[in-house]
Amino acid sequence: LVPTAIIPLDATSLTGIRLRIRSNVPRMVRLDLESPNNPAAMKGVRRGWDVPAEATAKTVEVKFAEAKTQVWGGVVNDSLPTILATLSGLMFQPQCLYRDGTGQLPAGVDDTGWIDIDDVEFY
């Protein structure tokens, strides 16, 4: 979790987030909006985006209006305007590679990769 400089941050008048991202190998990174008004946060379900990261750094923009809960999160009775009005941080979750059909890493397999995130800007 990366906290915002002002807590809570009222981001309702803003459009989205711009950042530079890269990873040691291609992988998805989940970027979520953190707020005390996320009703399913204890289940790990928040509004956000799946952002692709590759070995070459690139600038990515995400729009608040397009923030969605994870597909496995089910229906969440939240309010995007309320979450944006009480934003407290951003959650970055790199997706683990090499998982098997059960979602686990097979014995003897690990993912020791990394991500690099820079120039985070609300616009």
Side-chain angles (χ1 to χ4, degrees), residues 50-118:
D50 292 316
V51 177
E54 300 170 355
T56 301
K58 65 179 179 177
T59 299
V60 174
E61 289 186 3
V62 293
K63 294 185 179 176
F64 291 135
E66 297 171 354
K68 306 281 186 229
T69 57
Q70 296 91 332
V71 294
W72 53 264
V75 176
V76 176
N77 187 18
D78 66 1
S79 164
L80 182 58
T82 301
I83 290 169
L84 290 174
T86 57
L87 200 59
S88 60
L90 300 175
M91 179 93 56
F92 296 94
Q93 301 175 71
Q95 300 301 306
C96 184
L97 302 177
Y98 318 119
R99 293 179 292 178
D100 63 18
T102 66
Q104 304 298 313
L105 286 172
V109 175
D110 57 9
D111 179 0
T112 58
W114 51 265
I115 60 170
D116 181 27
I117 298 168
D118 201 2

